[in-house]
Amino acid sequence: MTDTEDHIREFARVKPTSGTPQMGRFIAALRRLQDITVATDPDPALWDDSAALIEDICARLEQHRAPAGSAPAGRATNLPGNGHPLMPPWQVMAASPDEVTMAGSFTRFHVGGNDAVHGGVIPLFYDWHFGMVVSAAGRPDSRTAYLHVDYRRVTPIDAPLRSRAWIDEVDGRKLFVRATMTDADGNVLSEANGLMIKLLAHQP
């Protein structure tokens, strides 16, 4: 057995799954709630009423907690953002051992100002995309050592975008990755490069 296979055996990998239509509906509603929350200014009483509804939902879902790695959020590859509300609603369009292409858009929830995507959301997206490259390459679980982003243009919301990430170099435990995000006209909005390092068996 190779060192890579040993590592995979000793480190519990997160296994992909499919989200149900009902989960997809819930996540879509939750994303809408995020957008509405940052785009409205209701009367204080409505904040209270809405909070009570959300607190009730939380209490109901709390009864169904699942162990780490068992809950489908973050693993549901058929849902935007893999069914995780932290991730922007993008999905993998093509994947190979060398590169992964994703497509999607950002929404009001991701705005930093003037309908432009917050600068901090872009590195979050690339970090997630680089993780997709690690998985597609069949490499063991890795952590981000560094991630550098060059912002070329303002990234808009509510517009179809694409991002392509690929392996630039492999050096033992080190995987050097690059990526480019473009709009529908092919304009480069940002570029990124990063280093993903394979975890050792004892590392969390």
Side-chain angles (χ1 to χ4, degrees):
M1 184 174 288
T2 66
D3 173 65
T4 296
E5 290 170 338
D6 278 334
H7 180 74
I8 292 174
R9 181 185 62 187
E10 295 171 0
F11 192 97
R13 301 202 69 175
V14 175
K15 297 180 180 179
T17 188
S18 291
T20 64
Q22 294 83 358
M23 178 188 176
R25 179 185 175 188
F26 179 87
I27 294 297
L30 183 58
R31 291 187 186 281
R32 184 182 176 197
L33 176 61
Q34 290 175 325
D35 285 336
I36 292 173
T37 299
V38 300
T40 56
D41 183 21
D43 293 332
L46 184 54
W47 283 126
D48 270 339
D49 291 345
S50 300
L53 292 171
I54 295 172
E55 288 164 358
D56 179 62
I57 293 171
C58 289
R60 294 167 62 185
L61 291 176
E62 191 77 35
Q63 302 174 37
H64 302 277
R65 278 185 173 270
S70 296
R75 304 190 299 122
T77 55
N78 62 316
L79 299 179
N82 283 8
H84 198 302
L86 176 67
M87 296 299 111
W90 289 56
Q91 288 184 277
V92 173
M93 304 305 293
S96 73
D98 298 316
E99 67 178 60
V100 173
T101 299
M102 300 183 71
S105 62
F106 297 96
T107 66
R108 178 67 182 270
F109 180 66
H110 305 111
V111 166
N114 298 326
D115 285 339
V117 175
H118 192 292
V121 173
I122 306 301
L124 169 67
F125 169 81
Y126 279 127
D127 194 44
W128 177 43
H129 198 169
F130 286 173
M132 294 289 191
V133 173
V134 171
S135 296
R139 288 178 63 87
D141 295 87
S142 304
R143 295 288 189 221
T144 308
Y146 68 74
L147 192 159
H148 176 85
V149 178
D150 289 311
Y151 300 89
R152 304 302 185 191
R153 293 183 178 221
V154 168
T155 302
I157 62 169
D158 300 325
L161 307 174
R162 295 182 73 86
S163 179
R164 172 178 167 262
W166 65 94
I167 296 174
D168 194 44
E169 181 184 350
V170 179
D171 181 11
R173 292 173 56 208
K174 300 178 180 179
L175 186 72
F176 296 89
V177 189
R178 303 186 70 87
T180 301
M181 185 182 297
T182 55
D183 63 17
D185 296 323
N187 297 309
V188 175
L189 305 177
S190 60
E191 297 175 294
N193 64 84
L195 170 60
M196 311 295 287
I197 298 184
K198 183 186 80 171
L199 290 173
L200 298 175
H202 65 278
Q203 293 178 311

